[in-house]
Amino acid sequence: MKILIRKIKKGDGEGIIRCFNEALKRGLNTYTRSNTLSTPEDIKEFDKAFSKPRLNEFGFVAVDKGKNLIAGVCIFSSKGHERIRHIGEISWGVHPDYLRKGIATKLADATIREATRRKFVRIEADIAKNNTASVRLARKCGFRIEGIKKYGLLLDDGRYENTYMFSKILTKHK
Ligand SMILES: CC(C)(COP(=O)(O)OP(=O)(O)OC[C@H]1O[C@@H](n2cnc3c(N)ncnc32)[C@H](O)[C@@H]1OP(=O)(O)O)[C@@H](O)C(=O)NCCC(=O)NCCS
């Protein structure tokens, strides 16, 4: 299986949303913020957002070259303004057929490198306590827990879940 890690480009919307929808349908995305299947409208919006390079939002995809299929995605997004312009948030997801092959690790590494290159200082990720895979990935990539957000997520079965507030500091400053 040949997996290519590259920046998100115009036209990736459909493949990325197919990847997310597949994970949702197969019960993998229990702990993601969004729990609704994406629509063709969402694809349009996504493609619009990523049609031009932007300073404050970027991401990487993993492409299965053999099948020409998006097998995973990692996105960095910063509000990019005023006193929080040095901070961004990271999110990741992998297609259910491609789990535990190191794809998310590679995607996160590429995203962190790019955020460093763009001089961001702090990356944040809120992750449900029981999202074992995501917690493990965050720790592996050097994120540390700063605190616990009580009732951070409302699950589909009506239960609330605490979330860990993870962060990774990219550059030490005064
Ligand atoms: C989290 C996710 C992106 C990990 O993707 P992945 O490509 O399988 O991850 P990797 O193969 O790079 O593995 C990263 C680490 O997590 C561990 N890991 C992955 N899945 C795991 C699981 N189900 N249980 C325990 N550990 C797991 C791996 O062993 C590896 O750690 P190690 O090298 O120390 O052994 C994937 O499970 C996913 O898409 N989950 C659903 C979406 C989601 O929850 N997103 C995050 C919302 S906060």
Side-chain angles (χ1 to χ4, degrees), residues 58-120:
F58 59 86
F60 287 81
V61 282
V63 184
D64 180 338
K65 293 290 279 175
K67 294 187 177 163
N68 197 25
L69 178 148
I70 291 184
V73 60
C74 187
I75 291 177
F76 176 95
S77 171
S78 165
K79 295 221 173 8
H81 61 256
E82 301 182 352
R83 292 180 177 140
I84 53 166
R85 62 185 180 276
H86 58 295
I87 301 173
E89 195 180 5
I90 197 167
S91 56
W92 43 54
V94 165
H95 187 288
D97 291 340
Y98 293 83
L99 295 170
R100 302 201 80 160
K101 297 179 192 304
I103 290 177
T105 305
K106 287 196 185 116
L107 285 166
D109 282 348
T111 307
I112 293 163
R113 268 199 309 276
E114 180 63 17
T116 308
R117 198 184 68 75
R118 293 183 188 216
K119 307 251 185 299
F120 284 96

Side-chain angles (χ1 to χ4, degrees), residues 18-37:
R18 198 173 287 163
C19 176
F20 178 82
N21 282 353
E22 199 54 35
L24 198 61
K25 277 190 225 159
R26 293 210 230 158
L28 177 69
N29 284 2
T30 316
Y31 299 110
T32 49
R33 285 183 195 171
S34 169
N35 65 353
T36 44
L37 289 171

Side-chain angles (χ1 to χ4, degrees), residues 122-136:
R122 177 183 163 87
I123 311 184
E124 299 177 348
D126 267 11
I127 303 176
K129 264 184 92 173
N130 287 320
N131 190 350
T132 315
S134 202
V135 166
R136 191 106 170 241

